[in-house]
Each structure stands twice: as C-alpha cells, then as structure tokens.
Amino acid sequence: MDVELLYWGRSWGSSKPAGGKVQFEYHAYCQLEVCVHGKMPIVVPDKEYILHAGDMLLIPCGVGHCVLHPDADHEFYSLKFEASAAPATPYFANSCKFNRWFISTLQECHTPEARYSMPIDPASRELVEGVLLLSMKKFLHKSTNHPCNEPPIFRKIRQIVLSSSTCINVNECAQKLDMNAAQLNYQFSKELKEYGLNQQEYSVKKIIDEALLYQIDRYLDFTDFSLNTIASQMKFNNVYTFSRYYKRLTGESPGNRRKKR
C-alpha cells in the first residue's frame, strides 16, 4: 500500500459558528481530520460526526463533507493525501493509544507555535507519510462494510470530474466510465431508486456541475490565476463562456466571488 502526502495543516483558537446551508466539498484525494482538543463537528451526507480530543475521521476521496466551525477552544490537524487503498465510506476512530501516538508524532514535526499549512520537507514527509500508512492499514483492517449513504455512481462521477480538473459533459463522463450517455443515465436512475432518492432532485448533469463548481472555487479562492487562465485550465471555450456558466449556477460572477473572498 502507498500513500502520498499532499498537504497537512494545524489550526486552533476562536472561531464563530458557520451559518446558512451546509456546503459539501468533494475532492479526488483522502482527508484525515484529527482533533487534538476541543471538539469538531463534521457533516457527511445523512450523518454528523462530533470529534473530541484524540478522535479521527477519515474521509475517502469523492465523499461529500463539510467541516463546521469548531468551538472556541480547539486544536486540530488536517491532512490531505492520496492512497492506493482506503475504506469506501467515512471511518471514525475513537481516541485510543494509537491515535495519541499519531498526534504526538505530528507534533514532533513542527515548532509549538507553527500554524496552518505546514512545510513538507523530506524529514517531515517521511514521518507523516509513515504514520499515515500505518493509520490507513489500521482503518482498512477494522472498517466494516456499512451501507453507503449515497449511490456509488455519485462518487464515480465526481472522481472523474475532479481527476480531470476540466469542464466535462455527460457524454465525456459516460465514455470515461466505459458507457454511453443512455447507459449512464439508466445506471444513475437505477441507483437512485435503490437508495430511495427523488429522481426529480438529482441528475448526472447536476452532479457534474457540483464537482466543477468545487474545482472552480478552489482556483478562485486559493490561486492568483486570472479568469482567463482558470477558463483555459478548465477547458472552457473562452472566459465569457466560463463566466456565464458560473453565474448561471451560482447567481454571481466569478469576479465577484473572488472579491468576497
């Protein structure tokens, strides 16, 4: 089994509760949230976890999640990484000796005052990837086949969009799944029925759009790329098509979104 660390960060201090509708995030890598002290509410489809000191939550790639604002007295680590194998659904691990050792190992990789994004130098990479590898093996060994909270086809579609990081349509998505559009829509409808979901509320196009918007928002929020560059990266025909697409789905232009952030 292999793991590759993409990001790790540490945060603490006061924060205000989040308001409004829960906005799920989706990405093509695994995420591990580790509570050092305080508590962390994390929402996934149809479930909410409350992490206390020493608890961990593994969020596999493609699974929607929202990390809510913790309470005022908190500290936590967030790690993003790629793994060659992972549980299919979120895995919650209660505080235990292993988790406390995991936390102490991370704490050895930085100075006490270090905060937010941590550098990934060769020494820290070796340590962090080492404990991640042991954690993933532990999670895989102990995880059980709990029923998934949403149809597997949702995650497959998101993974295709997020791994390509480009504007993609239903036909292209179907091709990557070795189907045609009719077969994909049939499979999508079949899984909606199996999971008891309202077919008026979901579509292949809607799942694609949600994943594309997530990718666009990451460019707008965390890079200095111009709108022209983002449109080019996402393979839109031009910046005008890109801007119209974004505004049609969100009600605001990408430029206004960036100003707000």
Side-chain angles (χ1 to χ4, degrees):
M1 180 177 176
D2 298 312
V3 298
E4 180 182 356
L5 180 65
L6 305 176
Y7 164 93
W8 72 298
R10 175 182 181 230
S11 184
W12 71 84
S14 299
S15 58
K16 297 180 180 179
K21 185 179 179 181
V22 170
Q23 296 293 324
F24 287 117
E25 295 187 354
Y26 304 89
H27 42 60
Y29 46 77
C30 294
Q31 182 168 323
L32 182 64
E33 295 297 323
V34 184
C35 185
V36 180
H37 69 255
K39 65 179 181 180
M40 294 177 63
I42 302 178
V43 179
V44 299
D46 299 328
K47 189 166 185 178
E48 178 177 347
Y49 295 92
I50 304 293
L51 276 65
H52 295 88
D55 294 342
M56 296 182 182
L57 180 66
L58 172 69
I59 304 166
C61 62
V63 174
H65 60 279
C66 177
V67 180
L68 303 179
H69 286 268
D71 61 12
D73 181 23
H74 73 278
E75 180 182 353
F76 65 93
Y77 286 102
S78 182
L79 301 97
K80 306 178 193 301
F81 59 98
E82 293 181 342
S84 58
T89 57
Y91 183 83
F92 178 80
N94 287 109
S95 178
C96 62
K97 187 174 181 180
F98 177 88
N99 292 10
R100 293 190 290 273
W101 169 78
F102 184 102
I103 292 171
S104 66
T105 302
L106 294 183
Q107 291 171 333
E108 292 176 3
C109 295
H110 59 77
T111 57
E113 66 276 9
R115 192 169 186 177
Y116 302 124
S117 179
M118 302 293 179
I120 306 178
D121 53 54
S124 64
R125 177 180 291 279
E126 183 178 11
L127 278 173
V128 177
E129 288 185 344
V131 294
L132 273 176
L133 180 61
L134 290 174
S135 299
M136 293 301 291
K137 289 181 177 180
K138 178 182 175 70
F139 296 159
L140 281 168
H141 177 70
K142 290 195 171 185
S143 66
T144 56
N145 295 321
H146 295 298
C148 183
N149 292 319
E150 65 176 12
I153 195 69
F154 282 26
R155 291 194 301 280
K156 291 179 181 178
I157 293 170
R158 292 188 192 110
Q159 288 171 3
I160 286 171
V161 175
L162 294 172
S163 62
S164 62
S165 296
T166 61
C167 181
I168 193 170
N169 58 40
V170 175
N171 286 325
E172 292 169 334
C173 183
Q175 289 175 5
K176 291 180 180 293
L177 288 170
D178 295 324
M179 304 179 185
N180 58 41
Q183 290 171 327
L184 175 56
N185 283 316
Y186 172 79
Q187 180 65 28
F188 191 88
S189 178
K190 179 182 176 183
E191 293 191 19
L192 286 180
K193 291 180 180 178
E194 291 174 353
Y195 281 76
L197 298 178
N198 187 342
Q199 298 193 43
Q200 302 300 318
E201 297 180 6
Y202 300 92
S203 69
V204 175
K205 180 67 166 59
K206 182 177 180 180
I207 302 301
I208 290 174
D209 285 341
E210 288 176 351
L212 285 173
L213 283 177
Y214 172 78
Q215 190 69 25
I216 293 169
D217 285 343
R218 301 287 74 73
Y219 278 124
L220 294 173
D221 294 346
F222 302 118
T223 76
D224 294 324
F225 292 168
S226 68
L227 298 185
N228 276 298
T229 300
I230 296 173
S232 177
Q233 291 281 347
M234 298 289 294
K235 299 296 188 295
F236 281 88
N237 291 334
N238 52 59
V239 70
Y240 305 106
T241 302
F242 163 68
S243 296
R244 286 197 303 271
Y245 172 83
Y246 189 86
K247 188 170 184 178
R248 176 171 59 82
L249 293 178
T250 67
E252 66 178 350
S253 69
N256 284 340
R257 159 70 187 230
R258 173 166 275 174
K259 289 176 183 178
K260 288 180 180 179
R261 300 296 291 181

